[in-house]
């Protein structure tokens, strides 16, 4: 049995903690804020199996002026953050060459196709299988032109094995009578599912972790003490040293700073998204409905409808632009004309994004006892249970149940000369 410190109490950190506990380790989660209220609480709640086509697109750099000018667009760049983000953004854009996009999609497919089984096993293990609603999701399109924007992404996803049925807007309305009647096209993504409430989910996972003897310590990690390649302890901002045999860095966007303290270059930036919970929506929805043109999805949680999405490139310390959450809800009325927005609750989360859209899962060759579990971008909830299994397997010395070479933390470092499929 080892003592393992997991840094970060988001959906990824707590899933790793539970998986490590199953191997009978003594686990401490270090989290300065409430558990699960980082990126995790703003999510759209989907197990987005097949959401594998990278967000980086060819010609992206040419679109940046438009994104800088319109702070309320589905994709925007905060002008004050732009220069600082330029190096990351350039690498992100360079990953949009077709061969790189295909390699990224293939790598993400290997993980996401494992996600539902892993998630169901985790939910069953904590005694709450009901947190997962196994129902496909819908994407709706205004007209031919709008549908065509998804054509290449659908083709690539299908090539990787995803099941996407294209239907008419009327067929979508037959499935979900509350949606507007003038959508011309829709698609049913059959591999996806959603959770009843991501905050409740993290709460249930945390309860199980604590009931099994785990410890949650309210602390932000500021530094480490090292002995060569071995990290002996993590040091909190209060100066306390917490000794551990193994350390798991699962701090979402905070992982970049922690990696830097250990001499590892981890280009994880925050791609902010917003969500609004509508507890009195007055709308009966059974499936998650995405409106790609607006950059958001609407998920029927147990006690509220969640409208979540959009993407804003901004510095990690930039303040939320709550106007984006308002715009999101206004656009949601395009999809659900009968939407009531009384007593809404707004949230913001920073998706931890790498320039190649792949998560970071594994050990750096330079550190003997540190695992990374971060950079999950738009897939953190989807891949939480799978990541937990992979982290536990690595620490136990077991073979991983899916190949993780492509997610290696050293792939960003020139000195390591590491290159999965040539993607940098
Ligand atoms: C609008 C929106 C919609 C989304 N929809 C989906 C979806 O439908 N499906 C999906 O799979 N994903 C979705 N995502 C992405 C998903 O939410 C993230 O990928 C996921 O939450 C990342 O989880 P995490 O645990 O890595 O990070 P976080 O949830 O951010 O947790 C990291 C934790 O680390 C802590 N931390 C940071 N620094 C330190 C430190 N120095 N010491 C100690 N603790 C530290 C933070 O306080 C935080 O609690 C969405 C995200 C957004 C914003």
């Amino acid at each position: 049995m080892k003592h393992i410190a997991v840094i970060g109490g988001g959906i990824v950190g707590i899933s790793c903690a539970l998986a490590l506990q199953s191997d009978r380790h003594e686990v401490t989660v270090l989290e300065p804020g409430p558990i699960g209220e980082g990126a995790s609480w703003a999510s759209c709640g989907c197990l987005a199996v097949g959401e594998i086509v990278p967000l980086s697109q060819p010609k992206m750099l040419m679109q940046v002026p438009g994104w800088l000018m319109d702070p309320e667009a589905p994709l925007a760049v905060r002008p004050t953050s732009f220069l600082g983000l330029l190096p990351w953004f350039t690498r992100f854009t360079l990953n949009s060459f077709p061969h790189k996009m295909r390699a990224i999609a293939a790598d993400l497919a290997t993980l996401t196709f494992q996600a539902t089984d892993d998630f169901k096993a985790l939910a069953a293990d904590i005694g709450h299988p009901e947190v997962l609603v196994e129902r496909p999701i819908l994407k709706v399109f205004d007209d031919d032109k709008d549908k065509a924007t998804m054509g290449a992404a659908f083709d690539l996803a299908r090539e990787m094995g995803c099941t996407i049925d294209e239907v008419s807007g009327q067929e979508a309305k037959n499935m979900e009578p509350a949606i507007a009647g003038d959508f011309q096209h829709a698609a049913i993504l059959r591999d996806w599912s959603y959770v009843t409430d991501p905050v409740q989910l993290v709460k249930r996972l945390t309860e199980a972790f604590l009931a099994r003897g785990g410890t949650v310590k309210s602390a932000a990690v500021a530094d480490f003490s090292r002995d060569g390649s071995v990290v002996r302890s993590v040091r909190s901002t209060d100066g306390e040293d917490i000794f551990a045999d193994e350390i798991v860095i699962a701090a979402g966007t905070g992982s970049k700073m922690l990696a830097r303290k250990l001499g590892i270059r981890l280009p994880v930036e925050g791609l902010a998204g917003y969500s609004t919970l509508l507890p009195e929506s007055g709308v009966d929805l059974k499936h998650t409905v995405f409106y790609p043109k607006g950059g958001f999805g609407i998920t029927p949680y147990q006690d509220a409808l969640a409208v979540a999405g959009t993407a804003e490139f901004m510095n990690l310390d930039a303040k939320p632009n709550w106007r984006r959450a308002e715009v999101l809800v206004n656009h949601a009325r395009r999809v659900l004309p009968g939407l009531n927005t009384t007593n809404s609750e707004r949230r913001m989360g920073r998706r931890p994004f790498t320039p190649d859209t792949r998560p970071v899962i594994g050990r750096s060759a330079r550190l003997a006892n540190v695992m990374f579990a971060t950079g999950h971008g738009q897939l953190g909830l989807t891949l939480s249970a799978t990541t937990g299994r992979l982290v536990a397997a690595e620490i136990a010395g077991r073979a991983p149940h899916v190949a993780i070479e492509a997610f290696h933390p050293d792939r960003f470092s020139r000195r390591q000369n590491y290159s999965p499929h040539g993607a940098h």
Side-chain angles (χ1 to χ4, degrees):
M1 185 185 76
K2 291 178 172 174
H3 178 224
I4 301 177
V6 176
I7 307 175
I11 182 70
V12 174
I14 205 74
S15 301
C16 290
L18 269 163
L20 290 162
Q21 242 180 357
S22 296
D23 281 347
R24 309 205 177 285
H25 297 300
E26 186 190 331
V27 185
T28 302
V29 173
L30 298 141
E31 167 61 56
I35 294 279
E37 294 193 10
S40 301
W41 81 334
S43 94
C44 204
C46 291
L47 286 205
V49 175
E51 179 77 337
I52 53 179
V53 178
L55 204 60
S56 44
Q57 300 289 330
K59 301 187 188 156
M60 228 176 180
L61 279 178
M62 282 184 280
Q63 291 171 292
V64 166
W67 298 341
L68 283 165
M69 302 290 288
D70 185 359
E72 291 167 14
L75 229 162
V77 181
R78 191 70 67 89
T80 46
S81 302
F82 181 60
L83 275 184
L85 286 177
L86 194 56
W88 182 93
F89 200 78
T90 305
R91 293 175 82 178
F92 184 63
T93 312
L94 289 173
N95 277 300
S96 65
F97 288 108
H99 68 286
K100 294 205 171 188
M101 294 212 2
R102 179 164 275 98
I104 293 168
D107 290 336
L108 291 179
T110 61
L111 284 186
T112 68
F113 285 134
Q114 188 59 44
T116 308
D117 284 351
D118 289 340
F119 191 90
K120 279 164 80 172
L122 179 61
D125 177 54
I126 62 162
H128 288 286
E130 77 287 352
V131 296
L132 185 67
V133 183
E134 287 194 82
R135 237 172 251 162
I137 66 127
L138 277 172
K139 290 198 176 184
V140 290
F141 305 102
D142 288 343
D143 49 32
D144 293 351
K145 192 174 159 214
D146 185 19
K147 186 184 150 195
T149 58
M150 290 298 296
F154 279 178
D155 288 348
L156 185 52
R158 283 195 184 103
E159 190 186 321
M160 297 297 158
C162 300
T163 309
I164 302 169
D165 294 338
E166 290 177 38
V167 296
S168 67
Q170 185 55 51
E171 283 171 276
K173 191 162 172 63
N174 293 344
M175 280 174 73
E176 283 296 354
I179 63 173
D182 60 344
F183 289 113
Q184 285 185 16
H185 303 284
I188 306 170
L189 281 70
R190 300 213 176 265
D191 307 295
W192 292 48
S193 50
Y194 65 89
V195 300
T196 49
D197 180 340
V199 174
Q200 275 296 324
L201 166 68
V202 175
K203 195 164 168 256
R204 300 261 183 260
L205 294 170
T206 309
E207 282 164 2
F209 171 69
L210 293 172
R212 293 169 189 185
T215 305
V216 175
K217 196 169 168 50
S218 179
V221 174
D223 211 341
F224 303 88
S225 73
R226 287 174 66 171
D227 190 354
S229 68
V230 177
V231 176
R232 296 286 175 209
S233 69
V234 301
R235 186 160 299 148
S236 75
T237 43
D238 297 338
E240 186 189 354
D241 277 321
I242 297 124
F243 290 87
D245 304 307
E246 296 269 2
I247 287 121
V248 178
I249 297 182
T253 52
S255 306
K256 178 180 166 179
M257 178 281 281
L258 294 169
R260 195 186 306 130
K261 294 275 180 194
L262 292 166
I264 309 281
R265 238 169 109 234
L266 209 64
V268 173
E269 293 292 347
L271 189 52
Y274 296 80
S275 82
T276 300
L277 290 193
L278 303 170
E280 298 168 29
S281 71
V283 169
D284 182 26
L285 211 62
K286 300 224 162 7
H287 304 81
T288 296
V289 180
F290 272 89
Y291 184 40
K293 189 176 177 181
F296 64 87
I298 308 171
T299 298
Y301 291 156
Q302 198 173 286
D303 301 318
L305 215 61
V307 183
T310 78
E312 188 181 19
F313 292 96
M314 63 187 199
N315 286 340
L316 294 179
D317 55 359
K319 297 242 177 325
N321 172 6
W322 290 116
R323 177 78 194 125
R324 288 181 68 81
E326 287 166 29
V327 169
L328 205 62
V329 172
N330 289 339
H331 288 173
R333 290 204 185 88
R334 159 74 187 103
V335 180
L336 299 171
L339 198 61
N340 176 12
T341 57
T342 321
N343 289 328
S344 62
E345 183 194 327
R346 301 177 306 190
R347 295 171 179 172
M348 193 275 276
R350 297 169 204 272
R351 307 169 182 92
F353 249 88
T354 62
D356 65 13
T357 315
R358 296 177 176 93
V360 181
I361 306 170
R363 283 187 201 280
S364 164
R366 278 180 274 164
L367 299 165
N369 61 336
V370 177
M371 280 291 299
F372 288 92
T374 186
H376 289 77
Q378 79 281 28
L379 288 169
L381 170 62
T382 309
L383 297 176
S384 52
T386 302
T387 303
R389 267 189 82 178
L390 289 167
V391 165
E394 173 69 29
I395 288 177
R398 289 191 297 271
H401 66 306
V402 279
I404 56 168
E405 194 60 9
F407 312 109
H408 203 286
D410 291 338
R411 68 185 187 270
F412 305 107
S413 162
R414 279 190 206 97
R415 269 181 298 164
Q416 292 296 325
N417 200 22
Y418 184 90
S419 173
H421 312 304
H424 273 262

